[in-house]
Coordinates of all heavy atoms in Angstrom, one line a residue:
D178 N 3.4 8.7 -44.3 CA 3.6 8.7 -45.7 C 4.0 7.3 -46.2 O 3.5 6.8 -47.3 CB 4.7 9.7 -46.1 CG 4.3 11.2 -46.0 OD1 3.1 11.4 -45.8 OD2 5.2 12.0 -46.0
T179 N 4.8 6.6 -45.4 CA 5.2 5.3 -45.8 C 4.0 4.3 -45.7 O 3.8 3.5 -46.6 CB 6.3 4.8 -44.8 OG1 7.4 5.7 -44.7 CG2 6.9 3.5 -45.2
L180 N 3.2 4.4 -44.6 CA 2.1 3.5 -44.5 C 1.0 3.8 -45.6 O 0.4 2.8 -46.2 CB 1.5 3.6 -43.1 CG 2.3 3.2 -41.9 CD1 1.5 3.2 -40.6 CD2 3.1 1.9 -42.2
V181 N 0.8 5.0 -46.0 CA -0.1 5.4 -47.0 C 0.3 4.8 -48.3 O -0.5 4.2 -49.1 CB -0.3 6.9 -47.0 CG1 -1.0 7.3 -48.4 CG2 -1.0 7.4 -45.8
E182 N 1.6 4.9 -48.5 CA 2.2 4.3 -49.8 C 2.1 2.8 -49.9 O 1.7 2.3 -50.9 CB 3.6 4.9 -50.0 CG 4.2 4.7 -51.3 CD 5.7 5.0 -51.4 OE1 6.1 6.0 -50.9 OE2 6.4 4.1 -52.0
R183 N 2.3 2.2 -48.8 CA 2.4 0.8 -48.9 C 1.0 0.1 -48.7 O 0.8 -1.1 -48.9 CB 3.3 0.2 -47.7 CG 4.8 0.4 -48.0 CD 5.3 -0.2 -49.3 NE 5.0 -1.6 -49.4 CZ 5.8 -2.6 -49.3 NH1 7.0 -2.4 -49.0 NH2 5.4 -3.9 -49.4
D184 N 0.0 0.8 -48.1 CA -1.3 0.2 -47.9 C -2.3 1.3 -48.1 O -2.9 1.9 -47.2 CB -1.3 -0.3 -46.4 CG -2.6 -0.9 -46.0 OD1 -3.4 -1.2 -46.9 OD2 -2.9 -0.9 -44.8
S185 N -2.5 1.7 -49.4 CA -3.3 2.8 -49.7 C -4.7 2.7 -49.4 O -5.4 3.7 -49.1 CB -3.1 3.2 -51.2 OG -3.5 2.0 -51.9
E186 N -5.2 1.4 -49.2 CA -6.6 1.3 -48.9 C -7.0 1.8 -47.5 O -8.0 2.1 -47.3 CB -7.0 -0.2 -48.9 CG -7.3 -0.6 -50.3 CD -7.7 -2.0 -50.4 OE1 -8.5 -2.5 -49.5 OE2 -7.3 -2.7 -51.4
N187 N -5.9 1.8 -46.6 CA -6.2 2.3 -45.3 C -5.7 3.7 -45.1 O -5.5 4.2 -44.0 CB -5.6 1.3 -44.2 CG -6.4 0.1 -44.1 OD1 -7.5 0.1 -43.9 ND2 -5.6 -1.1 -44.1
A188 N -5.4 4.4 -46.2 CA -4.9 5.8 -46.2 C -5.6 6.7 -45.2 O -5.0 7.4 -44.4 CB -4.7 6.3 -47.6
A189 N -6.9 6.7 -45.4 CA -7.7 7.6 -44.6 C -7.5 7.3 -43.1 O -7.5 8.3 -42.3 CB -9.2 7.5 -45.0
Y190 N -7.4 6.0 -42.7 CA -7.3 5.7 -41.4 C -6.0 6.2 -40.9 O -5.8 6.8 -39.8 CB -7.4 4.2 -41.2 CG -7.1 3.6 -39.8 CD1 -8.2 3.7 -38.8 CD2 -6.0 3.0 -39.5 CE1 -8.0 3.2 -37.5 CE2 -5.8 2.5 -38.2 CZ -6.7 2.5 -37.3 OH -6.5 2.0 -36.0
Y191 N -4.9 6.0 -41.6 CA -3.5 6.4 -41.2 C -3.5 7.9 -41.1 O -2.9 8.5 -40.2 CB -2.5 6.0 -42.2 CG -2.4 4.4 -42.3 CD1 -2.2 3.8 -43.6 CD2 -2.4 3.6 -41.1 CE1 -2.1 2.5 -43.6 CE2 -2.3 2.2 -41.3 CZ -2.2 1.6 -42.5 OH -2.1 0.3 -42.6
E192 N -4.1 8.6 -42.1 CA -4.1 10.1 -42.1 C -4.8 10.6 -40.9 O -4.4 11.6 -40.2 CB -4.6 10.6 -43.4 CG -3.6 10.6 -44.5 CD -4.1 10.6 -45.9 OE1 -5.3 10.7 -46.1 OE2 -3.3 10.4 -46.8
E193 N -5.9 10.1 -40.5 CA -6.7 10.5 -39.4 C -5.9 10.3 -38.1 O -5.8 11.2 -37.2 CB -8.0 9.7 -39.3 CG -9.1 10.3 -38.3 CD -10.2 9.5 -38.1 OE1 -10.6 8.7 -39.1 OE2 -10.8 9.4 -36.9
N194 N -5.4 9.2 -37.9 CA -4.5 8.9 -36.7 C -3.3 9.8 -36.6 O -3.0 10.4 -35.6 CB -4.0 7.4 -36.7 CG -5.1 6.4 -36.4 OD1 -6.1 6.8 -35.9 ND2 -4.8 5.1 -36.7
H195 N -2.7 10.1 -37.8 CA -1.5 11.0 -37.8 C -1.9 12.4 -37.4 O -1.3 13.0 -36.6 CB -1.0 11.0 -39.3 CG 0.0 12.1 -39.5 ND1 -0.3 13.2 -40.1 CD2 1.3 12.1 -39.2 CE1 0.8 14.0 -40.2 NE2 1.8 13.4 -39.7
E196 N -3.1 12.8 -37.9 CA -3.5 14.1 -37.5 C -3.8 14.2 -36.0 O -3.4 15.3 -35.3 CB -4.9 14.4 -38.3 CG -5.2 15.9 -38.4 CD -6.4 16.1 -39.4 OE1 -6.4 15.5 -40.5 OE2 -7.4 16.7 -38.8
K197 N -4.5 13.2 -35.5 CA -4.6 13.2 -34.0 C -3.3 13.2 -33.3 O -3.3 13.8 -32.1 CB -5.6 12.0 -33.6 CG -7.0 12.1 -34.1 CD -7.7 10.9 -33.6 CE -9.1 10.7 -34.2 NZ -9.6 9.4 -34.0
F198 N -2.5 12.4 -33.7 CA -1.2 12.2 -33.0 C -0.4 13.6 -33.0 O 0.1 14.0 -32.0 CB -0.3 11.1 -33.6 CG 1.1 10.9 -32.9 CD1 1.2 10.3 -31.8 CD2 2.2 11.6 -33.5 CE1 2.4 10.2 -31.1 CE2 3.4 11.5 -32.9 CZ 3.5 10.8 -31.7
V199 N -0.3 14.2 -34.2 CA 0.3 15.4 -34.3 C -0.3 16.5 -33.3 O 0.4 17.3 -32.7 CB 0.3 16.0 -35.8 CG1 0.9 17.4 -35.9 CG2 1.2 15.1 -36.6
A200 N -1.6 16.4 -33.3 CA -2.4 17.4 -32.3 C -1.8 17.1 -30.9 O -1.6 18.0 -30.1 CB -3.8 17.2 -32.4
K201 N -1.8 15.9 -30.5 CA -1.3 15.5 -29.2 C 0.1 15.9 -28.9 O 0.5 16.3 -27.8 CB -1.5 14.0 -28.8 CG -3.0 13.7 -28.5 CD -3.2 12.5 -27.7 CE -4.7 12.3 -27.3 NZ -4.8 11.2 -26.4
A202 N 1.0 15.6 -29.8 CA 2.4 15.9 -29.7 C 2.6 17.4 -29.6 O 3.4 18.0 -28.9 CB 3.2 15.3 -30.9
T203 N 1.7 18.2 -30.4 CA 1.8 19.7 -30.3 C 1.3 20.2 -29.0 O 2.0 21.1 -28.3 CB 1.0 20.3 -31.5 OG1 1.4 19.7 -32.7 CG2 1.1 21.8 -31.5
A204 N 0.3 19.5 -28.4 CA -0.2 19.9 -27.1 C 0.9 19.6 -26.1 O 1.1 20.4 -25.1 CB -1.5 19.1 -26.7
L205 N 1.6 18.5 -26.2 CA 2.7 18.2 -25.2 C 3.8 19.3 -25.3 O 4.3 19.8 -24.4 CB 3.3 16.8 -25.7 CG 4.6 16.4 -24.9 CD1 4.3 16.0 -23.5 CD2 5.3 15.2 -25.7
S206 N 4.1 19.7 -26.6 CA 5.1 20.7 -26.8 C 4.7 22.0 -26.1 O 5.5 22.7 -25.5 CB 5.4 20.9 -28.3 OG 6.3 21.9 -28.5

Side-chain angles (χ1 to χ4, degrees):
D178 290 344
T179 307
L180 299 190
V181 165
E182 194 187 313
R183 289 301 311 253
D184 180 19
S185 57
E186 275 184 41
N187 287 312
Y190 178 79
Y191 299 136
E192 277 158 6
E193 192 190 330
N194 286 344
H195 170 261
E196 201 173 306
K197 289 183 189 161
F198 179 80
V199 170
K201 284 204 171 189
T203 305
L205 174 73
S206 175

